[in-house]
Amino acid sequence: MSDILVVKLGGTTIAEQAQVLSEVATVARRRPVVLVHGGGKRITEWLDRLGVKSRFEGGLRVTDQAALEVAAAVLRGVVNSELVAGLRDLGVDAVGLSGVDGGLLISERVPGMGLVAHVVGLRRDLLDAVLVGGQVPVVAPLARDEDGIVCNVNADDAAAGIAAGLGARQLVLMTDVDGVRDADGRRLDTLTVAEAETLIDAGVIAGGMVPKIRAALAALTWDGAEAVIADASAYAALERALADPTFGTRLTASRRAVGAA
């Protein structure tokens, strides 16, 4: 297991993520960081402008060819460039990539979702080369499926696939909620694989939180790994996600003490 940190950010405007991006820059000066980003809200805005209706199933965007063209343009062309530029303004040598570059993300098509793929592996050579060079890879969630067709990928899934493939000790999924809640609405500080599956089966974890939890669990392939779901808008969100066991929800393979960063 490595000390690499994988952070997933949403795809809102750079101004809305300035604080978290500044924290990413700070952490990147002391340990290797891979930044993965989404862009769902920005994609929906562009699709609305073009008169293309958005449809979701199980928290995932159903993607036809028109939606894919917009998603690729927004993710790789707009959001990725903004984040790379923002990090470079903060003195970080950031490099923009997508899961298509170098065959980085190995994926398979998700049945019934159109041009949507699920990450099943990682070709880590490219990321290793970037990280060894002291740079921060910023990855857009696009990948080629088993037939070589470019597809949209859920950003949480992409981040988890990268974390698992690199043997990262920590994955932080920054989102717009403060963590996972139980049936009584109480936020859970910690959650194990078995507990998460029970809450999903009971319908307590539902909607868009299900693919997020599934992604987090997929990253727990190494002994001692943890995934944290935390509110990106909170003060010192990334710092607290890494070090404060009462902030967000920490997912681990089993219930045991979780080490701080």
Side-chain angles (χ1 to χ4, degrees), residues 180-181 191-207 209-215 217 251:
V180 182
R181 296 188 175 273
L191 194 61
T192 66
V193 171
E195 292 164 350
E197 294 291 356
T198 297
L199 291 177
I200 291 172
D201 291 343
V204 175
I205 295 175
M209 184 58 76
V210 174
K212 191 176 296 293
I213 293 295
R214 294 284 190 207
L217 299 182
L251 290 96

Side-chain angles (χ1 to χ4, degrees), residues 144-224:
R144 299 175 72 199
D145 69 8
E146 58 269 43
D147 296 318
I149 299 171
V150 175
C151 291
N152 190 15
V153 177
N154 176 271
D156 296 316
D157 181 39
I162 290 172
L166 291 175
R169 180 165 60 89
Q170 291 176 306
L171 165 67
V172 178
L173 302 176
M174 305 302 288
T175 184
D176 56 359
V177 297
D178 64 355
V180 182
R181 296 188 175 273
D182 65 15
D184 296 320
R186 295 172 298 197
R187 183 182 57 79
L188 299 167
D189 289 338
T190 59
L191 194 61
T192 66
V193 171
E195 292 164 350
E197 294 291 356
T198 297
L199 291 177
I200 291 172
D201 291 343
V204 175
I205 295 175
M209 184 58 76
V210 174
K212 191 176 296 293
I213 293 295
R214 294 284 190 207
L217 299 182
L220 305 178
T221 57
W222 298 78
D223 186 40

Side-chain angles (χ1 to χ4, degrees), residues 4-5 24 28 40 53 91 104 127 142 161 178 191 198 202 215 231:
I4 296 170
L5 168 66
V24 170
K53 186 176 180 181
L104 179 63
L127 285 183
L142 299 165
D178 64 355
L191 194 61
T198 297
D231 183 2

Side-chain angles (χ1 to χ4, degrees), residues 2-222:
S2 70
D3 198 40
I4 296 170
L5 168 66
V6 178
V7 178
K8 179 263 179 176
L9 293 183
T12 55
T13 64
I14 193 70
E16 293 172 316
Q17 301 198 108
Q19 177 57 44
V20 174
L21 208 60
S22 177
E23 290 190 78
V24 170
T26 298
V27 174
R29 294 185 181 98
R30 65 174 187 262
R31 63 188 285 196
V33 175
V34 178
L35 182 63
V36 182
H37 66 82
K41 292 180 180 178
R42 304 281 288 277
I43 293 170
T44 298
E45 289 171 1
W46 277 95
L47 288 173
D48 288 345
R49 293 177 194 174
L50 296 171
V52 179
K53 186 176 180 181
S54 296
R55 183 163 66 92
F56 295 85
E57 290 186 12
L60 298 176
R61 182 187 301 274
V62 179
T63 307
D64 60 13
Q65 186 60 46
L68 177 67
E69 290 180 5
V70 173
V74 172
L75 291 170
R76 187 68 172 94
V78 179
V79 180
N80 193 273
S81 296
E82 286 181 351
L83 291 173
V84 169
L87 284 172
R88 296 190 72 86
D89 286 345
L90 293 167
V92 175
D93 192 4
V95 177
L97 301 168
S98 82
V100 175
D101 297 322
L104 179 63
L105 295 178
I106 301 168
S107 69
E108 294 178 354
R109 189 77 68 89
V110 178
M113 296 296 294
L115 297 172
V116 176
H118 165 65
V119 177
V120 296
L122 177 73
R123 286 189 60 191
R124 59 179 294 173
D125 307 34
L126 181 56
L127 285 183
D128 282 339
V130 173
L131 291 169
V132 167
Q135 299 168 307
V136 173
V138 181
V139 184
L142 299 165
R144 299 175 72 199
D145 69 8
E146 58 269 43
D147 296 318
I149 299 171
V150 175
C151 291
N152 190 15
V153 177
N154 176 271
D156 296 316
D157 181 39
I162 290 172
L166 291 175
R169 180 165 60 89
Q170 291 176 306
L171 165 67
V172 178
L173 302 176
M174 305 302 288
T175 184
D176 56 359
V177 297
D178 64 355
V180 182
R181 296 188 175 273
D182 65 15
D184 296 320
R186 295 172 298 197
R187 183 182 57 79
L188 299 167
D189 289 338
T190 59
L191 194 61
T192 66
V193 171
E195 292 164 350
E197 294 291 356
T198 297
L199 291 177
I200 291 172
D201 291 343
V204 175
I205 295 175
M209 184 58 76
V210 174
K212 191 176 296 293
I213 293 295
R214 294 284 190 207
L217 299 182
L220 305 178
T221 57
W222 298 78

